[in-house]
Coordinates of all heavy atoms in Angstrom, one line a residue:
P144 N 7.2 -55.8 19.0 CA 8.4 -55.2 19.6 C 8.1 -54.9 21.1 O 9.0 -55.0 21.9 CB 8.6 -54.0 18.8 CG 8.2 -54.4 17.4 CD 7.0 -55.3 17.6
S145 N 6.9 -54.4 21.4 CA 6.6 -54.0 22.8 C 6.7 -55.2 23.8 O 6.7 -55.0 25.0 CB 5.3 -53.3 22.9 OG 4.2 -54.2 22.5
Q146 N 6.6 -56.4 23.2 CA 6.7 -57.6 24.0 C 8.1 -58.2 24.1 O 8.2 -59.2 24.7 CB 5.7 -58.7 23.4 CG 4.3 -58.2 23.4 CD 3.4 -59.2 22.6 OE1 3.7 -59.6 21.5 NE2 2.2 -59.5 23.1
L147 N 9.0 -57.5 23.6 CA 10.4 -58.0 23.6 C 11.3 -57.0 24.4 O 11.1 -55.8 24.5 CB 11.0 -58.0 22.1 CG 10.2 -58.9 21.2 CD1 10.7 -58.7 19.7 CD2 10.3 -60.4 21.6
S148 N 12.4 -57.6 25.0 CA 13.4 -56.8 25.6 C 14.2 -56.0 24.6 O 14.1 -56.3 23.4 CB 14.3 -57.6 26.5 OG 15.2 -58.4 25.6
G149 N 14.9 -55.0 25.1 CA 15.8 -54.2 24.2 C 16.7 -55.1 23.4 O 16.9 -55.0 22.2
G150 N 17.4 -56.0 24.1 CA 18.3 -56.9 23.4 C 17.7 -57.8 22.4 O 18.2 -58.1 21.3
Q151 N 16.4 -58.3 22.7 CA 15.7 -59.1 21.7 C 15.3 -58.3 20.5 O 15.4 -58.7 19.4 CB 14.5 -59.7 22.4 CG 14.8 -60.8 23.4 CD 13.6 -61.2 24.2 OE1 12.6 -60.4 24.4 NE2 13.6 -62.4 24.8
Q152 N 14.9 -57.0 20.8 CA 14.5 -56.2 19.6 C 15.7 -55.9 18.7 O 15.6 -55.9 17.5 CB 14.0 -54.8 20.1 CG 12.6 -54.9 20.8 CD 12.1 -53.5 21.1 OE1 11.9 -52.7 20.3 NE2 11.9 -53.3 22.4
Q153 N 16.9 -55.7 19.4 CA 18.1 -55.5 18.5 C 18.5 -56.7 17.7 O 18.9 -56.6 16.6 CB 19.3 -55.0 19.4 CG 20.5 -54.5 18.7 CD 20.1 -53.2 17.9 OE1 19.4 -53.2 16.9 NE2 20.7 -52.1 18.3
R154 N 18.3 -57.9 18.3 CA 18.6 -59.1 17.5 C 17.6 -59.3 16.4 O 17.9 -59.8 15.3 CB 18.6 -60.3 18.5 CG 19.8 -60.4 19.3 CD 19.9 -61.7 20.1 NE 19.1 -61.6 21.3 CZ 18.6 -62.6 22.0 NH1 18.8 -63.8 21.6 NH2 17.9 -62.4 23.1
V155 N 16.3 -58.9 16.6 CA 15.4 -58.9 15.5 C 15.8 -57.9 14.4 O 15.7 -58.2 13.2 CB 13.9 -58.5 16.0 CG1 13.0 -58.3 14.8 CG2 13.4 -59.6 16.9
A156 N 16.3 -56.8 14.8 CA 16.8 -55.7 13.9 C 18.0 -56.3 13.0 O 18.1 -56.0 11.8 CB 17.2 -54.5 14.6
I157 N 18.8 -57.1 13.7 CA 19.9 -57.7 12.9 C 19.4 -58.7 11.9 O 19.8 -58.7 10.8 CB 20.9 -58.3 13.9 CG1 21.6 -57.3 14.8 CG2 22.0 -59.2 13.1 CD1 22.5 -57.8 15.9
A158 N 18.4 -59.5 12.4 CA 17.8 -60.5 11.5 C 17.1 -59.8 10.3 O 17.2 -60.3 9.2 CB 16.8 -61.4 12.2
R159 N 16.5 -58.7 10.6 CA 15.8 -57.9 9.5 C 16.8 -57.4 8.5 O 16.6 -57.5 7.3 CB 15.1 -56.7 10.1 CG 14.3 -55.9 9.1 CD 13.5 -54.8 9.7 NE 14.4 -53.8 10.4 CZ 14.0 -52.7 11.0 NH1 12.7 -52.4 11.0 NH2 14.8 -51.9 11.6
A160 N 18.0 -56.9 9.0 CA 19.0 -56.5 8.0 C 19.5 -57.6 7.2 O 19.8 -57.5 6.0 CB 20.1 -55.8 8.8
L161 N 19.7 -58.8 7.8 CA 20.3 -59.9 7.1 C 19.3 -60.5 6.1 O 19.7 -61.2 5.1 CB 20.6 -61.0 8.1 CG 21.8 -60.7 9.1 CD1 21.9 -61.8 10.1 CD2 23.1 -60.6 8.3
A162 N 18.0 -60.2 6.3 CA 17.0 -60.8 5.4 C 17.2 -60.3 3.9 O 16.7 -60.9 3.0 CB 15.6 -60.4 5.9
M163 N 17.8 -59.1 3.8 CA 18.0 -58.6 2.4 C 19.3 -59.2 1.8 O 19.7 -58.7 0.7 CB 18.1 -57.1 2.5 CG 16.8 -56.4 2.8 SD 15.5 -56.7 1.6 CE 16.1 -55.5 0.3

Side-chain angles (χ1 to χ4, degrees):
S145 62
Q146 298 170 315
L147 302 172
S148 71
Q151 290 170 336
Q152 289 185 62
Q153 192 61 294
R154 284 184 279 157
V155 172
I157 293 172
R159 180 177 64 176
L161 292 172
M163 292 295 283

